[in-house]
Amino acid sequence: MNKRFLLDLAEDWQQHGREVFKRVRRESPAAYLKVCAMLVPREMKVEHGGGVKAMTDEQIERSIEIIKEILAQREAAANAKVIEGVAEPAALPAPRKPRRQDP
């Protein structure tokens, strides 16, 4: 693809992209899913990068800090007190303003 085509495509997306996606998703879900599937790479090359052995001491320490934060958040969420309740409809309707009667 040439650069001009990609620039035109980007401009068209800026102007109409979201609306077109919504309409196609509603009116032609098969076409929508086909486009989504075409955007996913058929093959993905995953390489092992050395893991912990390749990390610096600072990276390992920061990773441990992040893991501790995540665990603390999970524990706090697990121990959080939840107040359950059911909203009940009002017993009486709101009062109306009385009409002024002329003599």
Side-chain angles (χ1 to χ4, degrees), residues 2-5 9 12 19 25 30-31 33 35-36 42 50 54 62-63 65 68 70 79 84 90-91 97 100 103:
N2 66 30
K3 184 178 179 178
R4 184 71 244 161
F5 172 79
L9 183 61
D12 190 48
E19 295 82 23
R25 185 179 63 236
L33 290 175
V35 170
C36 291
R42 290 180 186 212
R62 181 65 187 136
S63 297
E65 289 173 17
K68 286 180 179 179
I70 291 170
N79 294 330
E84 294 185 19
K97 225 177 179 180
R100 184 176 158 193

Side-chain angles (χ1 to χ4, degrees), residues 13-74:
W13 171 258
Q14 288 294 324
Q15 294 176 5
H16 310 287
R18 180 167 278 187
E19 295 82 23
V20 171
F21 260 31
K22 287 178 183 177
R23 189 178 63 207
V24 171
R25 185 179 63 236
R26 271 191 321 269
E27 296 174 9
S28 183
Y32 179 81
L33 290 175
K34 184 177 180 179
V35 170
C36 291
M38 290 170 48
L39 294 172
V40 176
R42 290 180 186 212
E43 293 181 22
M44 182 177 282
K45 187 175 181 181
V46 178
E47 294 182 11
H48 182 60
V52 176
K53 291 180 182 178
M55 295 172 72
T56 65
D57 288 346
E58 291 81 18
Q59 290 172 324
I60 293 171
E61 289 171 3
R62 181 65 187 136
S63 297
I64 291 170
E65 289 173 17
I66 291 171
I67 292 168
K68 286 180 179 179
E69 290 172 13
I70 291 170
L71 292 174
Q73 290 172 356
R74 283 186 186 172

